[in-house]
């Protein structure tokens, strides 16, 4: 993948089907893109480790809990849901939806602002600060780091190399990604992928918010 793209655009829902596509990001953590066709669902299952779900398009209805005591919540574009370990989790979509599933694989630390089972809008986690870049670790561990950043107008990150494969989620406004000597405009709802060792930079075009999923190799 070279240049900006959209997870929802690359993996549109197909009628009557649920489709899972391995992202190709290299590292111990697992990242998968899911698309649910209108009226389809994935049966509730429990897993031994927590999972993070980032909405990419449409509305995904999640069921969380134990048999006879399931809570229901919806995840839309730019929103995050953390499913706790050993708790049943199922998904369904009435009109079709796309989301990214992140499985850290080992223990990780969640920011106290993120409560398991609650949906939150990623862009709301960080404010803009005049002349500054605001950075908040949403989840971090030995295998991955998931960060939300807010760039004030005129701010940016100087070129540097990625220590592992990474995926950018543009959340609000517009920015410009510099990658291997080229510039790529990016706006809310779009994504960009870095390869390990890839030289990249970020600068705001106005005010800009993004999330970054960074894979950490062991």
């Amino acid at each position: 993948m070279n240049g900006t793209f959209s997870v929802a655009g690359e993996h549109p829902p197909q009628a009557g089907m649920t489709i899972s596509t391995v992202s190709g990001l290299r590292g111990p953590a697992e990242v998968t893109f899911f698309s649910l066709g209108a009226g389809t669902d994935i049966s509730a299952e429990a897993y031994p480790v927590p999972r993070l779900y980032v909405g990419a398009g449409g509305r995904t209805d999640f069921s969380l809990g134990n048999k006879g005591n399931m809570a229901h919540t919806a995840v839309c574009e730019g929103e995050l849901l953390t499913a706790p370990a050993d708790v049943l989790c199922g998904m369904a979509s009435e009109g079709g939806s796309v989301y990214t599933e992140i499985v850290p694989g080992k223990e990780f630390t969640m920011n106290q602002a993120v409560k398991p089972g609650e949906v939150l809008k990623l862009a709301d986690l960080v404010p803009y600060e005049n002349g500054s870049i605001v950075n908040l670790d949403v989840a971090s561990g030995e295998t991955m780091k998931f960060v939300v950043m807010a760039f004030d107008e005129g701010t940016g990150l100087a070129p540097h190399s990625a220590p592992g494969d990474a995926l950018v989620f543009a959340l609000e406004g517009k920015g410009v990604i510099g990658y291997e000597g080229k510039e790529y405009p990016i706006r809310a709802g779009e994504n960009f992928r870095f390869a390990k060792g890839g030289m990249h930079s970020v600068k705001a075009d106005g005010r800009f918010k993004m999330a970054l999923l960074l894979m950490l190799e062991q």
Side-chain angles (χ1 to χ4, degrees):
M1 190 69 66
N2 189 14
T4 56
F5 69 100
S6 162
V7 169
E10 292 288 331
H11 305 278
Q14 303 293 323
M17 301 180 187
T18 61
I19 303 172
S20 61
T21 305
V22 176
S23 70
L25 293 171
R26 297 167 297 177
E30 299 175 13
V31 181
T32 307
F33 305 131
F34 280 83
S35 59
L36 276 60
T40 64
D41 64 81
I42 298 175
S43 299
E45 298 177 333
Y47 299 93
V49 295
R51 297 182 173 220
L52 281 63
Y53 296 96
V54 181
R59 167 182 165 144
T60 306
D61 296 305
F62 283 80
S63 300
L64 290 171
N66 300 309
K67 290 183 178 180
N69 186 28
M70 300 289 282
H72 303 279
T73 189
V75 175
C76 299
E77 180 182 331
E79 295 181 335
L80 171 73
L81 170 69
T82 302
D86 302 317
V87 171
L88 290 171
C89 178
M91 308 82 169
S93 180
E94 290 186 3
S97 67
V98 183
Y99 60 87
T100 301
E101 179 188 72
I102 304 167
V103 184
K106 289 188 177 182
E107 290 186 4
F108 64 100
T109 301
M110 294 294 299
N111 191 287
Q112 292 183 354
V114 180
K115 307 299 182 185
E118 294 184 5
V119 175
L120 55 87
K121 188 174 181 180
L122 286 167
D124 290 345
L125 285 174
V126 287
Y128 292 110
E129 295 286 346
N130 290 335
S132 303
I133 301 170
V134 180
N135 184 316
L136 181 144
D137 285 358
V138 176
S140 60
E142 295 181 3
T143 61
M144 52 78 74
K145 178 175 283 192
F146 189 55
V147 183
V148 178
M149 307 177 74
F151 296 78
D152 191 26
E153 184 174 3
T155 65
L157 301 176
H160 59 285
S161 62
D165 284 3
L167 182 64
V168 169
F169 302 78
L171 302 173
E172 185 174 282
K174 296 184 294 183
V176 178
I177 303 291
Y179 187 66
E180 295 295 314
K182 296 183 179 181
E183 291 192 337
Y184 302 89
I186 189 169
R187 64 178 62 239
E190 294 181 335
N191 303 86
F192 197 96
R193 178 173 171 173
F194 303 138
K196 180 182 178 180
M199 290 295 296
H200 64 279
S201 62
V202 180
K203 60 182 178 182
D205 181 4
R207 285 182 156 184
F208 177 58
K209 290 184 180 182
M210 70 178 220
L212 174 68
L213 173 62
L214 176 63
M215 308 293 277
L216 301 175
E217 297 187 5
Q218 296 178 298

